Structure formats: structure tokens, C-alpha cells
Amino acid sequence: MSPQAQQNERVELERHGVRATRQRIAVLRALAAEPNDATAQEIYAWLAQRGEAIGLATVYRTLALLNSNGVVDALAHRPGELCYRLCGEGHHHHLVCGECHRVVELDDCDLDEWLKRLAVEHKFAISAHTVEVTGICADCR
Amino acid sequence: MSPQAQQNERVELERHGVRATRQRIAVLRALAAEPNDATAQEIYAWLAQRGEAIGLATVYRTLALLNSNGVVDALAHRPGELCYRLCGEGHHHHLVCGECHRVVELDDCDLDEWLKRLAVEHKFAISAHTVEVTGICADCR
DNA sequence: ATAATTGCAAAGCGTTTGCACCCTG
DNA sequence: CAGGGTGCAAACGCTTTGCAATTAT
């Protein structure tokens, strides 16, 4: 990878007040290369295969850090493991293909009105909501 | 527990083509006693505390079985563990209090129109969707 | 310089499984 | 009585952690 390309990841990390290390830049690159979501183990394997010297624990620590800084999304489609993916700005949900695991990022969320109604009806202060839509994409049919 | 009370659980199990054993009846009773959701471990502890002789593995096996037979819902609010709860009939979503983990079952789902639009727009055959709304309930505020 | 980050290996966690025994139907 | 169900303990897979060595600012 060119020093030029690394520059993007470095800036992204520093923008979030995170120290730019070789390993963190590598994880960010792996995420950028993956159009869908990936588990920590998959990212580790991807990097190892390309000769990146990085420990599995570091991958986990980095993903947790990036997630808490809002750089990556953590999806829990299956119990017992988390999937991560670079997230766009703002609030959004995902449409996942059950066959090939392709993920489409949805940018519109029509739920606000419904949520407001729920808040009143059940006397909840609603802080968050997740939506995950599953189906089969055109290519898998 | 009275033999009378056991009868309800027995019928419920047999209705789903599941053999009624002492342990399965006990798990069903534990679920019925829990207004919110519970993990396998919590159900095991609840039963053990009441002197029910049951193995942890059996609790896991029973919950998996009941889930695949549509008797219980499995929610994954937290990574690495599943929560189970008796589910009402039909399609519904949950409103969960992040503080006390109280769960409110929502019976209206206004998403159908939105989903239809997504299906067309992204050429997906949509098979399922999950929604989970998190907030703080009135009692915890 | 020095405080943060890393790697390794060990521990932790919830969950699953193999197998001999037991019970339901 | 036959086949499914159970208990135990060991195995599992993913994730986290302790600690000494390394690295970024």
C-alpha cells in the first residue's frame, strides 16, 4: 500500500482522536476493502493472508475502539459473534441478503413518527432503535 | 406445582408435537413466570433455586427446541448471548428498557409499506425483518 | 520521554456435544 | 420395550485480559 493511501486512514483516525498505528490503519483498510460486513476473525484472516503482522487481540481491540468512536457499525445478525462494517454518516439501517450476506445500506428511515407514538403510548424515553431487514437479493434468486 | 397447573404446559408442548417431560414443563413454567426475557442461564438459576432438578444443557436444548417450534422468541439484544421469551401469536416487535430490561410487546407493525418499497428499489425478496427499540421506561427515569 | 499500544498465551464466557443412563409413550 | 430425553463433564468458538515489550507523539 502506498504511503499516500495510508494517509486517508491516518487522517480518519486522527479526526476521531485515535492514535494512528500501523495496525489500526490496516484494519481500516481491510474494512474499506470489504463491501459487506466482516467478523473480527475474517478481518484478521484477510490481513494475515496479505502478510500484515497483526495480532488477533489487536483486531478485536481496534474494532471495539472504532465502534465506540462511531467509525464502524457493529451488527449482530448471528448470536455469538459480531460483524463490523464501515458506516456512512448519520442514522441508517441495513438490508442483508440471507444467501450471500451482501449488505445494502439504507439511508432513509421512516420510523420516527411511529417511534414518537410509541414513546407516548408506553411512557418510554426512546434512545435507540435497530432495524434489520433480511431477504434474498436479485443475484441469489 | 399442582398437577392441574402442569396440565397447561403439557398440552402446549403436545400441541407442537413435542414430548412432554418434567424438564420441558419446568422450563415453560419458568418462561411463563418471567414477564420479560431471560437467558438460558437465568432460567436454569430460577429453576435450581426452586429445587427443580434439571441440567443446564437440558435448558439450552429445550429453549432451542421451543424456539424452532415457534413457542418462544429468541432476542439477541446483547452479543454473545440469547434471551428467550414466550411469544404471543403472530408478528410483533419489542420495546426494551435499557435499564431494567423490561420488555413491551408491540402488536402493531407499520413497516409493511416501507418494506414493499425497499423490495422494489433494491430488487430483494424480503423474507423477514427485526426491529428492536431501546429506551428508558417510566419507572427507571 | 512517556504514555499508549501491541503480541502472546491464558483465561473467560456462553453454548454445544458425546455418551451412558433413564424415562416417556 | 424402543427411541427419545437427560445429566455430566469435556470440548468449542468467539472474545477479553494480564503483562512485558514495543511504538507513537
Side-chain angles (χ1 to χ4, degrees):
Chain A
M1 138 173 83
S2 69
Q4 177 62 33
Q6 281 200 16
Q7 212 50 37
N8 301 326
E9 278 89 23
R10 172 175 297 276
V11 170
E12 174 74 359
L13 290 169
E14 285 169 352
R15 189 161 68 82
H16 289 272
V18 171
R19 254 194 213 191
T21 65
R22 175 178 56 77
Q23 292 89 335
R24 287 175 181 172
I25 290 171
V27 168
L28 221 42
R29 266 182 53 84
L31 285 164
E34 171 57 62
N36 300 323
D37 55 356
T39 63
Q41 310 261 359
E42 285 165 352
I43 291 168
Y44 172 71
W46 191 93
L47 291 170
Q49 201 181 334
R50 279 162 189 71
E52 262 295 336
I54 188 171
L56 180 55
T58 301
V59 174
Y60 276 102
R61 282 190 279 232
T62 300
L63 288 170
L65 178 71
L66 295 178
N67 181 49
S68 74
N69 282 73
V71 183
V72 303
D73 272 346
L75 317 186
H77 349 113
R78 59 181 59 202
E81 75 183 0
L82 282 175
C83 291
Y84 294 92
R85 91 189 290 274
L86 275 179
C87 61
E89 301 298 320
H91 178 69
H92 58 269
H93 300 299
H94 298 113
L95 175 56
V96 185
C97 174
E99 197 75 20
C100 66
H101 292 161
R102 176 203 305 205
V103 178
V104 177
E105 201 159 288
L106 305 172
D107 41 299
D108 58 330
C109 170
D110 292 4
L111 273 48
D112 289 341
E113 203 180 323
W114 183 55
L115 293 172
K116 260 178 214 150
R117 197 145 41 82
L118 289 180
V120 173
E121 193 173 334
H122 299 285
K123 298 193 175 66
F124 265 62
I126 291 179
S127 54
H129 67 280
T130 65
V131 176
E132 205 162 305
V133 186
T134 309
I136 307 293
C137 73
D139 295 348
C140 291
R141 256 187 293 169
Chain B
M1 132 176 84
S2 70
Q4 178 60 34
Q6 278 200 19
Q7 212 48 37
N8 300 327
E9 279 89 22
R10 174 176 297 274
V11 169
E12 174 76 358
L13 289 169
E14 285 168 356
R15 188 161 69 84
H16 288 273
V18 170
R19 253 197 215 186
T21 64
R22 175 177 56 78
Q23 291 89 336
R24 287 174 182 172
I25 290 171
V27 168
L28 221 40
R29 265 183 53 83
L31 284 164
E34 171 58 63
N36 300 323
D37 55 357
T39 62
Q41 311 262 359
E42 285 164 354
I43 291 168
Y44 172 71
W46 191 93
L47 290 170
Q49 199 181 335
R50 278 161 190 71
E52 262 296 335
I54 189 171
L56 180 55
T58 300
V59 175
Y60 276 101
R61 283 189 278 231
T62 300
L63 289 169
L65 179 71
L66 295 178
N67 181 52
S68 74
N69 282 73
V71 183
V72 303
D73 272 346
L75 317 187
H77 357 109
R78 58 180 61 201
E81 78 182 357
L82 282 176
C83 291
Y84 294 92
R85 92 189 288 274
L86 276 180
C87 61
E89 301 298 319
H91 179 70
H92 58 268
H93 300 297
H94 297 114
L95 173 57
V96 185
C97 174
E99 198 75 20
C100 66
H101 293 164
R102 173 201 308 207
V103 177
V104 176
E105 201 160 288
L106 306 173
D107 41 298
D108 58 330
C109 170
D110 291 4
L111 272 50
D112 289 340
E113 203 181 325
W114 183 56
L115 293 173
K116 261 179 214 151
R117 198 146 39 81
L118 289 181
V120 174
E121 193 173 334
H122 299 286
K123 299 191 174 64
F124 264 63
I126 290 178
S127 55
H129 68 279
T130 64
V131 177
E132 207 162 304
V133 187
T134 309
I136 306 292
C137 73
D139 295 349
C140 290
R141 254 185 292 170

